Coordinates of all heavy atoms in Angstrom, one line a residue:
M371 N 32.6 17.8 2.5 CA 33.4 16.7 3.1 C 34.8 16.6 2.6 O 34.9 16.7 1.5 CB 32.6 15.3 2.9 CG 31.2 15.3 3.2 SD 30.3 14.3 2.1 CE 29.3 13.3 3.3
V372 N 35.7 16.5 3.6 CA 37.1 16.3 3.2 C 37.6 15.1 4.0 O 36.8 14.6 4.9 CB 38.0 17.5 3.5 CG1 37.6 18.7 2.5 CG2 37.9 18.0 4.9
D373 N 38.8 14.7 4.0 CA 39.3 13.6 4.8 C 39.9 14.2 6.0 O 41.0 15.0 6.0 CB 40.5 12.9 4.0 CG 40.0 12.3 2.6 OD1 38.8 11.9 2.4 OD2 40.8 12.3 1.8
N374 N 39.4 14.0 7.2 CA 38.1 13.3 7.6 C 37.4 14.3 8.4 O 37.3 14.1 9.6 CB 38.5 12.1 8.4 CG 39.0 10.9 7.5 OD1 38.6 10.8 6.3 ND2 39.8 10.0 8.2
R375 N 36.6 15.1 7.7 CA 35.7 16.0 8.6 C 34.6 16.6 7.6 O 34.7 16.5 6.4 CB 36.5 17.2 9.3 CG 37.2 18.0 8.3 CD 38.2 19.0 9.2 NE 39.1 19.6 8.2 CZ 38.7 20.8 7.6 NH1 37.6 21.3 7.8 NH2 39.7 21.3 6.8
F376 N 33.7 17.1 8.4 CA 32.6 17.9 7.7 C 33.0 19.4 7.7 O 33.4 19.9 8.8 CB 31.3 17.7 8.3 CG 30.7 16.4 8.3 CD1 30.7 15.5 9.3 CD2 30.0 16.0 7.0 CE1 30.3 14.2 9.2 CE2 29.5 14.6 7.0 CZ 29.6 13.8 8.0
D377 N 32.9 20.2 6.7 CA 33.2 21.6 6.7 C 32.0 22.2 5.8 O 32.1 22.1 4.6 CB 34.5 21.8 6.0 CG 34.9 23.3 6.0 OD1 34.2 24.1 6.7 OD2 35.8 23.6 5.3
P378 N 31.1 23.0 6.4 CA 31.0 23.1 7.9 C 30.5 21.9 8.6 O 29.9 20.9 8.0 CB 29.9 24.2 7.9 CG 29.0 24.0 6.8 CD 30.0 23.5 5.7
S379 N 30.7 21.8 9.9 CA 30.3 20.7 10.7 C 29.0 20.9 11.4 O 28.5 20.0 12.1 CB 31.4 20.3 11.8 OG 31.6 21.4 12.7
T380 N 28.4 22.1 11.3 CA 27.2 22.3 11.9 C 26.1 22.9 10.8 O 26.5 23.7 10.0 CB 27.2 23.4 13.1 OG1 27.7 24.6 12.5 CG2 28.1 22.9 14.1
L381 N 24.9 22.3 10.8 CA 23.9 22.8 10.0 C 22.8 23.4 10.8 O 22.4 22.7 11.9 CB 23.3 21.7 9.1 CG 24.3 21.1 8.1 CD1 23.4 19.9 7.4 CD2 24.7 22.1 7.0
T382 N 22.3 24.5 10.5 CA 21.1 25.1 11.2 C 20.0 25.3 10.1 O 20.1 26.0 9.3 CB 21.5 26.4 11.9 OG1 22.6 26.2 12.8 CG2 20.4 26.9 12.8
L383 N 18.9 24.7 10.6 CA 17.7 24.7 9.6 C 16.5 25.2 10.3 O 16.5 25.2 11.5 CB 17.4 23.3 9.0 CG 18.6 22.6 8.3 CD1 18.1 21.1 8.0 CD2 19.2 23.3 7.2
R384 N 15.5 25.6 9.6 CA 14.2 26.0 10.2 C 13.2 24.9 9.9 O 13.1 24.4 8.8 CB 13.6 27.3 9.5 CG 14.4 28.5 9.8 CD 13.9 29.0 11.2 NE 14.4 30.3 11.5 CZ 13.8 31.5 11.3 NH1 12.8 31.5 10.5 NH2 14.4 32.6 11.6
A385 N 12.6 24.5 11.0 CA 11.5 23.4 10.9 C 10.5 23.7 9.8 O 10.0 24.8 9.7 CB 10.8 23.2 12.2
G386 N 10.1 22.7 9.1 CA 9.1 22.9 8.0 C 9.5 23.5 6.8 O 8.7 23.6 5.8
R387 N 10.7 24.0 6.6 CA 11.2 24.8 5.4 C 11.8 23.8 4.5 O 12.5 22.8 4.9 CB 12.2 25.8 5.8 CG 11.6 27.0 6.7 CD 11.0 28.0 5.8 NE 10.5 29.1 6.6 CZ 11.2 30.2 6.9 NH1 12.5 30.3 6.6 NH2 10.6 31.1 7.7
P388 N 11.7 24.0 3.2 CA 12.4 23.2 2.2 C 13.9 23.5 2.0 O 14.2 24.7 2.0 CB 11.6 23.4 0.9 CG 11.0 24.8 1.1 CD 10.9 25.1 2.6
Y389 N 14.7 22.5 1.8 CA 16.1 22.7 1.6 C 16.6 21.8 0.4 O 16.1 20.7 0.2 CB 16.9 22.4 2.8 CG 16.7 23.4 3.9 CD1 15.7 23.2 4.9 CD2 17.5 24.6 3.9 CE1 15.5 24.1 5.9 CE2 17.2 25.5 5.0 CZ 16.2 25.2 5.9 OH 16.0 26.3 6.9
V390 N 17.7 22.2 -0.3 CA 18.5 21.3 -1.0 C 19.8 21.1 -0.2 O 20.6 22.0 0.0 CB 18.9 21.9 -2.4 CG1 19.8 20.9 -3.2 CG2 17.6 22.3 -3.2
L391 N 19.9 19.8 0.3 CA 21.1 19.5 1.0 C 22.2 19.0 -0.1 O 21.9 17.9 -0.8 CB 20.9 18.3 1.9 CG 21.9 17.8 2.8 CD1 22.4 18.8 3.7 CD2 21.5 16.5 3.6
Q392 N 23.2 19.8 -0.3 CA 24.2 19.6 -1.2 C 25.5 19.1 -0.5 O 26.1 19.9 0.2 CB 24.4 20.7 -2.1 CG 25.6 20.5 -3.1 CD 25.5 21.5 -4.3 OE1 24.5 21.7 -4.9 NE2 26.6 22.2 -4.5
L393 N 25.9 17.9 -0.9 CA 27.1 17.3 -0.1 C 28.1 17.1 -1.2 O 28.1 16.3 -2.1 CB 26.7 16.0 0.5 CG 25.5 16.0 1.5 CD1 25.1 14.6 1.9 CD2 26.0 16.8 2.7
E394 N 29.3 17.8 -1.0 CA 30.4 17.6 -2.0 C 31.5 16.9 -1.2 O 32.0 17.3 -0.2 CB 30.9 19.0 -2.4 CG 29.8 19.9 -3.1 CD 30.4 21.2 -3.4 OE1 31.7 21.4 -3.4 OE2 29.6 22.1 -3.7
N395 N 31.9 15.8 -1.8 CA 33.1 15.1 -1.2 C 34.3 15.5 -2.0 O 34.6 15.0 -3.1 CB 32.8 13.6 -1.3 CG 34.0 12.8 -0.7 OD1 35.0 13.4 -0.3 ND2 33.7 11.5 -0.6
R396 N 35.1 16.4 -1.3 CA 36.4 16.8 -1.9 C 37.6 16.0 -1.3 O 38.7 16.4 -1.5 CB 36.6 18.3 -1.6 CG 35.5 19.1 -2.3 CD 35.7 20.5 -2.2 NE 34.7 21.3 -2.8 CZ 34.5 22.6 -2.8 NH1 35.4 23.3 -2.0 NH2 33.5 23.3 -3.3
G397 N 37.4 14.9 -0.6 CA 38.4 14.0 -0.1 C 38.7 12.9 -1.1 O 38.2 12.8 -2.4
K398 N 39.6 12.1 -0.7 CA 40.1 10.9 -1.6 C 39.4 9.6 -1.1 O 39.5 8.6 -1.8 CB 41.6 10.8 -1.4 CG 42.4 11.9 -2.1 CD 43.9 11.7 -2.2 CE 44.6 12.6 -3.0 NZ 44.6 14.0 -2.5
E399 N 38.7 9.8 0.0 CA 37.9 8.5 0.4 C 36.4 8.8 0.4 O 36.0 9.9 0.3 CB 38.3 8.3 1.8 CG 39.8 8.1 2.1 CD 40.1 7.5 3.5 OE1 39.4 6.5 3.9 OE2 41.0 8.0 4.2
M400 N 35.7 7.7 0.3 CA 34.2 7.7 0.4 C 33.8 8.3 1.8 O 34.4 7.9 2.8 CB 33.7 6.4 0.2 CG 32.2 6.3 0.2 SD 31.5 4.5 0.1 CE 31.5 4.2 1.8
H401 N 32.8 9.2 1.8 CA 32.3 9.6 3.1 C 30.7 9.5 3.1 O 30.2 9.3 2.0 CB 32.6 11.1 3.3 CG 34.2 11.2 3.5 ND1 34.8 10.7 4.5 CD2 35.0 12.0 2.7 CE1 36.1 11.0 4.5 NE2 36.3 11.7 3.3
E402 N 30.2 9.4 4.3 CA 28.8 9.3 4.4 C 28.3 10.4 5.4 O 28.8 10.8 6.4 CB 28.6 7.9 5.1 CG 28.8 6.7 4.1 CD 28.8 5.4 4.7 OE1 27.6 5.0 5.0 OE2 29.8 4.8 4.9
F403 N 27.1 10.9 5.0 CA 26.3 11.8 5.8 C 25.4 10.9 6.5 O 24.3 10.5 6.1 CB 25.5 12.8 4.9 CG 24.7 13.8 5.6 CD1 25.4 15.1 5.8 CD2 23.4 13.6 6.0 CE1 24.6 16.1 6.5 CE2 22.7 14.6 6.6 CZ 23.2 15.9 6.9
T404 N 25.8 10.4 7.7 CA 25.0 9.5 8.6 C 24.3 10.3 9.6 O 24.9 10.9 10.6 CB 26.0 8.5 9.2 OG1 26.7 7.8 8.2 CG2 25.2 7.4 10.0
A405 N 22.9 10.3 9.4 CA 22.1 11.1 10.3 C 20.8 10.3 10.4 O 19.7 10.9 9.9 CB 21.9 12.6 9.9
P406 N 20.7 9.2 11.1 CA 19.5 8.4 11.0 C 18.3 9.1 11.5 O 17.2 9.1 11.0 CB 19.9 7.1 11.9 CG 21.2 7.4 12.4 CD 21.8 8.6 11.7
D407 N 18.4 9.8 12.7 CA 17.2 10.4 13.3 C 16.7 11.6 12.5 O 15.6 11.7 12.2 CB 17.6 10.9 14.8 CG 17.8 9.8 15.7 OD1 17.4 8.6 15.4 OD2 18.4 10.1 16.7
F408 N 17.7 12.4 11.9 CA 17.4 13.4 11.0 C 16.6 13.0 9.7 O 15.7 13.5 9.3 CB 18.6 14.3 10.7 CG 18.3 15.4 9.7 CD1 17.7 16.7 10.1 CD2 18.7 15.3 8.4 CE1 17.6 17.6 9.2 CE2 18.5 16.3 7.5 CZ 17.9 17.5 7.9
L409 N 17.3 12.0 9.2 CA 16.8 11.7 7.8 C 15.4 10.8 8.0 O 14.6 10.9 7.0 CB 17.8 10.7 7.1 CG 19.1 11.5 6.7 CD1 20.1 10.5 6.1 CD2 18.7 12.6 5.6
K410 N 15.2 10.3 9.1 CA 13.9 9.6 9.3 C 12.8 10.6 9.6 O 11.7 10.4 9.1 CB 14.0 8.5 10.4 CG 14.6 7.3 9.9 CD 14.8 6.3 11.1 CE 15.5 5.0 10.5 NZ 16.2 4.3 11.6
A411 N 13.2 11.7 10.3 CA 12.2 12.6 10.7 C 11.9 13.6 9.5 O 10.8 14.2 9.5 CB 12.7 13.4 11.9
A412 N 12.8 13.8 8.7 CA 12.7 14.8 7.6 C 11.8 14.2 6.5 O 11.6 13.0 6.3 CB 14.0 15.2 7.0
T413 N 11.2 15.1 5.7 CA 10.4 14.7 4.6 C 11.4 14.8 3.4 O 11.8 15.8 2.9 CB 9.3 15.6 4.3 OG1 8.4 15.6 5.5 CG2 8.4 15.1 3.1
V414 N 11.9 13.6 2.9 CA 12.8 13.4 1.8 C 12.2 13.2 0.6 O 11.3 12.3 0.5 CB 13.8 12.4 2.1 CG1 14.9 12.2 1.1 CG2 14.6 12.7 3.5
R415 N 12.3 14.1 -0.5 CA 11.7 13.8 -1.7 C 11.9 12.5 -2.4 O 11.0 11.8 -2.7 CB 11.9 14.9 -2.7 CG 11.2 14.8 -4.0 CD 11.5 15.8 -5.1 NE 10.8 17.0 -4.9 CZ 11.0 17.9 -5.8 NH1 11.8 17.8 -6.8 NH2 10.3 19.1 -5.6
D416 N 13.2 12.1 -2.5 CA 13.4 10.8 -3.1 C 14.3 9.9 -2.1 O 15.6 10.0 -2.1 CB 14.3 11.1 -4.4 CG 14.6 9.9 -5.3 OD1 14.2 8.8 -4.7 OD2 15.2 10.0 -6.3
R417 N 13.6 9.1 -1.5 CA 14.3 8.3 -0.5 C 15.2 7.3 -1.0 O 16.0 6.7 -0.4 CB 13.4 7.7 0.5 CG 12.5 8.6 1.3 CD 11.9 8.0 2.6 NE 12.8 7.9 3.7 CZ 13.0 8.8 4.5 NH1 12.4 10.0 4.5 NH2 13.9 8.6 5.5
R418 N 15.2 7.1 -2.3 CA 16.1 6.1 -3.0 C 17.4 6.6 -3.0 O 18.5 5.9 -3.3 CB 15.7 5.9 -4.5 CG 14.5 5.1 -4.6 CD 13.9 5.1 -6.1 NE 13.6 6.4 -6.5 CZ 13.2 6.7 -7.7 NH1 13.0 5.7 -8.7 NH2 13.0 8.0 -8.1
K419 N 17.7 8.0 -2.7 CA 19.0 8.4 -2.6 C 19.7 8.2 -1.3 O 20.9 8.5 -1.0 CB 19.0 10.0 -2.8 CG 18.6 10.4 -4.3 CD 18.8 11.9 -4.5 CE 18.5 12.3 -5.9 NZ 18.8 13.6 -6.2
L420 N 18.9 7.6 -0.3 CA 19.5 7.3 1.0 C 19.9 5.9 0.9 O 19.3 5.0 0.2 CB 18.3 7.5 2.0 CG 17.6 8.9 2.0 CD1 16.7 8.8 3.2 CD2 18.7 9.9 2.1
A421 N 20.9 5.6 1.7 CA 21.5 4.3 1.9 C 21.4 3.7 3.3 O 20.9 4.3 4.2 CB 23.0 4.3 1.5
N422 N 21.7 2.4 3.3 CA 21.7 1.7 4.6 C 20.3 1.8 5.4 O 20.3 2.3 6.6 CB 22.8 2.2 5.5 CG 24.1 1.9 4.8 OD1 24.3 0.7 4.1 ND2 25.0 2.7 4.7
G423 N 19.3 1.6 4.7 CA 17.9 1.7 5.4 C 17.4 3.1 5.7 O 16.6 3.3 6.6
G424 N 17.9 4.0 4.9 CA 17.5 5.4 5.0 C 18.2 6.2 6.1 O 17.8 7.3 6.5
T425 N 19.3 5.6 6.5 CA 20.1 6.3 7.6 C 21.2 7.2 7.2 O 21.7 8.1 8.0 CB 20.7 5.3 8.6 OG1 21.6 4.4 7.9 CG2 19.6 4.4 9.3
D426 N 21.7 7.1 5.8 CA 22.7 7.9 5.4 C 22.8 8.1 3.9 O 22.0 7.4 3.1 CB 24.1 7.5 6.0 CG 24.4 6.1 5.7 OD1 24.0 5.5 4.6 OD2 25.2 5.4 6.5
I427 N 23.6 9.2 3.6 CA 23.8 9.4 2.1 C 25.3 9.2 1.9 O 26.2 9.8 2.5 CB 23.5 10.9 1.9 CG1 22.0 11.2 2.3 CG2 23.7 11.4 0.4 CD1 21.7 12.7 2.5
V428 N 25.6 8.4 0.9 CA 26.9 7.9 0.6 C 27.4 8.9 -0.6 O 26.7 9.0 -1.6 CB 27.0 6.5 0.1 CG1 28.4 6.1 -0.4 CG2 26.4 5.6 1.3
V429 N 28.6 9.5 -0.4 CA 29.2 10.3 -1.4 C 30.6 9.8 -1.7 O 31.5 9.8 -0.9 CB 29.2 11.8 -0.9 CG1 29.5 12.6 -2.1 CG2 27.9 12.2 -0.4
Q430 N 30.7 9.4 -3.1 CA 32.0 8.9 -3.5 C 33.0 10.1 -3.6 O 32.6 11.2 -3.8 CB 31.8 8.2 -4.8 CG 30.9 7.0 -4.8 CD 31.4 5.8 -3.9 OE1 32.6 5.7 -3.6 NE2 30.5 5.0 -3.3
P431 N 34.3 9.8 -3.6 CA 35.3 10.8 -3.8 C 35.1 11.7 -5.0 O 34.8 11.1 -6.1 CB 36.6 10.2 -3.8 CG 36.3 8.8 -3.2 CD 34.9 8.4 -3.4
G432 N 35.1 13.0 -4.9 CA 35.0 13.8 -6.1 C 33.5 14.0 -6.6 O 33.3 14.8 -7.5
K433 N 32.6 13.4 -5.9 CA 31.1 13.5 -6.3 C 30.4 14.4 -5.4 O 30.8 14.8 -4.3 CB 30.4 12.1 -6.3 CG 31.1 11.1 -7.2 CD 30.9 11.4 -8.7 CE 31.5 10.3 -9.6 NZ 31.4 10.6 -11.0
T434 N 29.2 14.8 -5.9 CA 28.3 15.7 -5.2 C 26.9 14.9 -5.1 O 26.5 14.4 -6.2 CB 28.1 17.0 -5.9 OG1 29.4 17.7 -5.9 CG2 27.1 17.9 -5.2
A435 N 26.3 14.9 -4.0 CA 24.9 14.4 -3.8 C 24.0 15.5 -3.4 O 24.4 16.4 -2.6 CB 24.9 13.4 -2.8
R436 N 22.9 15.6 -4.1 CA 21.8 16.6 -3.7 C 20.6 15.9 -3.3 O 20.1 15.0 -4.0 CB 21.6 17.4 -4.9 CG 22.6 18.6 -5.0 CD 22.2 19.4 -6.3 NE 23.4 20.1 -6.8 CZ 24.3 19.6 -7.8 NH1 23.9 18.3 -8.2 NH2 25.3 20.1 -8.1
V437 N 20.1 16.3 -2.1 CA 18.8 15.7 -1.6 C 17.9 16.8 -1.2 O 18.2 17.7 -0.5 CB 19.1 14.7 -0.3 CG1 17.8 14.3 0.2 CG2 20.0 13.6 -0.8
L438 N 16.7 16.7 -1.8 CA 15.7 17.7 -1.5 C 14.9 17.2 -0.3 O 14.5 16.1 -0.2 CB 14.7 18.0 -2.6 CG 15.2 19.0 -3.7 CD1 16.4 18.4 -4.4 CD2 14.1 19.2 -4.7
L439 N 14.7 18.1 0.8 CA 14.0 17.7 1.9 C 13.3 18.9 2.6 O 13.7 20.0 2.4 CB 15.0 16.9 2.9 CG 16.2 17.8 3.4 CD1 15.9 18.7 4.6 CD2 17.3 16.8 3.9
I440 N 12.4 18.5 3.4 CA 11.7 19.5 4.4 C 12.2 19.2 5.7 O 12.1 18.1 6.2 CB 10.2 19.4 4.2 CG1 9.7 19.8 2.7 CG2 9.5 20.3 5.2 CD1 8.3 19.6 2.5
A441 N 12.7 20.2 6.4 CA 13.4 20.0 7.7 C 12.3 19.5 8.6 O 11.1 19.9 8.7 CB 14.0 21.4 8.2
P442 N 12.8 18.6 9.6 CA 11.7 18.1 10.6 C 11.5 19.0 11.8 O 11.9 20.2 11.7 CB 12.5 16.8 11.0 CG 14.0 17.1 10.8 CD 14.0 18.0 9.7
A443 N 11.0 18.4 12.8 CA 10.6 19.3 14.0 C 12.0 19.7 14.6 O 13.0 19.2 14.5 CB 9.9 18.4 15.0
Q444 N 11.7 20.9 15.5 CA 12.9 21.4 16.2 C 13.6 20.4 17.0 O 13.0 19.4 17.5 CB 12.4 22.5 17.2 CG 11.8 23.7 16.5 CD 11.4 24.8 17.5 OE1 11.5 24.5 18.6 NE2 11.0 25.9 17.0
G445 N 14.9 20.5 17.1 CA 15.8 19.6 17.9 C 17.2 19.5 17.4 O 17.5 20.3 16.4
H446 N 18.0 18.8 18.1 CA 19.4 18.6 17.8 C 19.5 17.2 17.3 O 19.0 16.3 17.9 CB 20.3 18.8 19.0 CG 20.4 20.3 19.4 ND1 21.0 21.2 18.8 CD2 19.7 20.8 20.4 CE1 20.8 22.3 19.3 NE2 20.0 22.2 20.4
Y447 N 20.1 17.1 16.1 CA 20.2 15.7 15.5 C 21.7 15.4 15.3 O 22.4 16.3 14.8 CB 19.5 15.6 14.1 CG 18.1 15.9 14.2 CD1 17.5 17.2 14.3 CD2 17.1 15.0 14.4 CE1 16.2 17.5 14.3 CE2 15.7 15.2 14.5 CZ 15.3 16.5 14.5 OH 13.9 16.7 14.5
A448 N 22.1 14.2 15.5 CA 23.5 13.8 15.4 C 23.8 13.7 13.9 O 23.0 13.2 13.1 CB 23.7 12.6 16.2
L449 N 25.0 14.0 13.6 CA 25.6 13.8 12.3 C 27.0 13.1 12.5 O 27.9 13.7 13.2 CB 25.8 15.1 11.6 CG 26.6 15.1 10.3 CD1 25.9 14.3 9.2 CD2 26.8 16.5 9.8
T450 N 27.2 12.1 11.7 CA 28.5 11.4 11.7 C 28.8 10.9 10.3 O 27.8 10.9 9.5 CB 28.6 10.2 12.7 OG1 27.8 9.2 12.1 CG2 28.2 10.6 14.1
C451 N 30.1 10.6 10.1 CA 30.4 9.7 8.9 C 30.6 8.4 9.5 O 31.5 8.1 10.3 CB 31.6 10.2 8.2 SG 32.2 9.1 6.9
A452 N 29.7 7.4 9.1 CA 29.8 6.0 9.7 C 31.2 5.4 9.6 O 31.6 4.5 10.3 CB 28.8 5.1 9.0
D453 N 32.0 5.8 8.5 CA 33.2 5.3 8.3 C 34.4 6.0 9.1 O 35.5 5.4 9.3 CB 33.7 5.4 6.9 CG 32.8 4.5 6.0 OD1 32.4 3.4 6.5 OD2 32.6 4.9 4.8
H454 N 34.2 7.3 9.5 CA 35.3 8.0 10.0 C 34.9 8.7 11.4 O 35.6 9.6 11.8 CB 35.8 9.1 9.0 CG 36.3 8.5 7.8 ND1 35.5 8.6 6.5 CD2 37.4 7.7 7.5 CE1 36.2 7.9 5.7 NE2 37.2 7.4 6.2
D455 N 33.8 8.4 12.0 CA 33.4 8.9 13.3 C 34.5 8.7 14.4 O 34.8 9.6 15.1 CB 32.1 8.4 13.8 CG 32.0 6.9 13.9 OD1 32.9 6.2 13.2 OD2 31.1 6.4 14.5
W456 N 35.2 7.5 14.2 CA 36.4 7.3 15.2 C 37.5 8.3 15.0 O 38.3 8.6 16.0 CB 36.9 6.0 14.7 CG 37.5 5.9 13.4 CD1 36.7 5.5 12.3 CD2 38.7 6.1 12.9 NE1 37.4 5.5 11.2 CE2 38.7 5.9 11.5 CE3 39.9 6.6 13.5 CZ2 39.8 6.1 10.6 CZ3 41.1 6.8 12.7 CH2 40.9 6.6 11.2
D457 N 37.5 9.0 13.8 CA 38.6 10.0 13.6 C 38.0 11.4 13.7 O 38.7 12.5 13.2 CB 39.1 9.9 12.1 CG 40.4 10.6 11.9 OD1 41.1 10.8 12.8 OD2 40.6 11.0 10.7
G458 N 36.8 11.6 14.4 CA 36.3 12.8 14.7 C 35.4 13.5 13.5 O 35.1 14.7 13.6
M459 N 35.0 12.7 12.5 CA 34.1 13.2 11.5 C 32.7 13.1 12.0 O 32.0 12.2 11.6 CB 34.4 12.3 10.2 CG 33.7 13.0 9.0 SD 34.3 12.4 7.4 CE 33.3 13.4 6.3
V460 N 32.5 14.2 12.7 CA 31.1 14.3 13.3 C 30.7 15.7 13.2 O 31.5 16.6 13.0 CB 31.2 13.9 14.8 CG1 31.5 12.4 15.0 CG2 32.0 14.7 15.7
G461 N 29.4 16.0 13.4 CA 28.8 17.3 13.3 C 27.5 17.3 14.0 O 27.1 16.4 14.8
T462 N 26.7 18.4 13.8 CA 25.4 18.6 14.5 C 24.5 19.3 13.5 O 24.9 20.1 12.7 CB 25.6 19.5 15.7 OG1 26.8 19.3 16.4 CG2 24.4 19.4 16.6
I463 N 23.3 18.8 13.5 CA 22.2 19.4 12.7 C 21.3 20.0 13.8 O 20.7 19.3 14.7 CB 21.5 18.5 11.8 CG1 22.5 17.7 11.0 CG2 20.5 19.1 11.0 CD1 22.0 16.5 10.3
T464 N 21.0 21.4 13.7 CA 20.1 22.0 14.6 C 19.0 22.4 13.8 O 19.1 23.1 12.8 CB 20.7 23.1 15.3 OG1 21.9 22.6 16.1 CG2 19.8 23.9 16.2
V465 N 17.8 22.2 14.3 CA 16.5 22.6 13.7 C 15.8 23.5 14.6 O 15.5 23.1 15.7 CB 15.6 21.5 13.2 CG1 14.4 22.1 12.4 CG2 16.4 20.5 12.3
D466 N 15.6 24.8 14.2 CA 15.0 25.8 15.1 C 13.5 25.9 14.8 O 13.1 25.7 13.6 CB 15.7 27.2 14.9 CG 17.1 27.2 15.5 OD1 17.3 26.4 16.4 OD2 17.9 28.0 15.0
Ligands
LIG835 CU1 34.1 9.8 6.2

């Protein structure tokens, strides 16, 4: 994450496979990995790392967040930063 976009802005995962989702915020502002459908459908090892009712992962400037999860069913899942979607900070998560 940088100000104000995801780099990369697309994630492609395999359904049912385990992943470490590592989010580095290299910007000067707080950013959020807001993916409510994805995060609800995925099996997240520690849901306490999720914010706002399990809909997003907040990453402070200069910090890194790591979340272990198992990818959910096939599909396309929306990704935004709840604070900067207006500025085009959006992406896509594809599960094959
Ligand atoms: Cu942001």
Side-chain angles (χ1 to χ4, degrees):
M371 300 149 134
V372 295
D373 304 330
N374 284 330
R375 61 188 168 86
F376 293 102
D377 181 16
S379 63
T380 59
L381 293 179
T382 304
L383 309 177
R384 286 278 185 93
R387 295 277 181 86
Y389 291 92
V390 179
L391 181 63
Q392 178 162 306
L393 303 170
E394 300 177 14
N395 183 351
R396 296 187 181 174
K398 292 188 168 66
E399 300 193 49
M400 184 186 88
H401 293 297
E402 293 171 69
F403 183 94
T404 304
D407 293 343
F408 175 78
L409 291 172
K410 280 176 186 158
T413 303
V414 178
R415 180 186 275 186
D416 186 356
R417 297 197 79 87
R418 290 172 300 180
K419 293 189 173 181
L420 309 182
N422 300 318
T425 60
D426 55 31
I427 302 164
V428 176
V429 191
Q430 299 295 335
K433 300 292 188 186
T434 297
R436 281 181 203 86
V437 173
L438 277 64
L439 58 82
I440 297 172
Q444 291 183 357
H446 294 281
Y447 299 87
L449 169 63
T450 65
C451 171
D453 295 325
H454 302 110
D455 52 347
W456 60 270
D457 195 24
M459 190 166 179
V460 298
T462 320
I463 305 166
T464 300
V465 181
D466 289 332

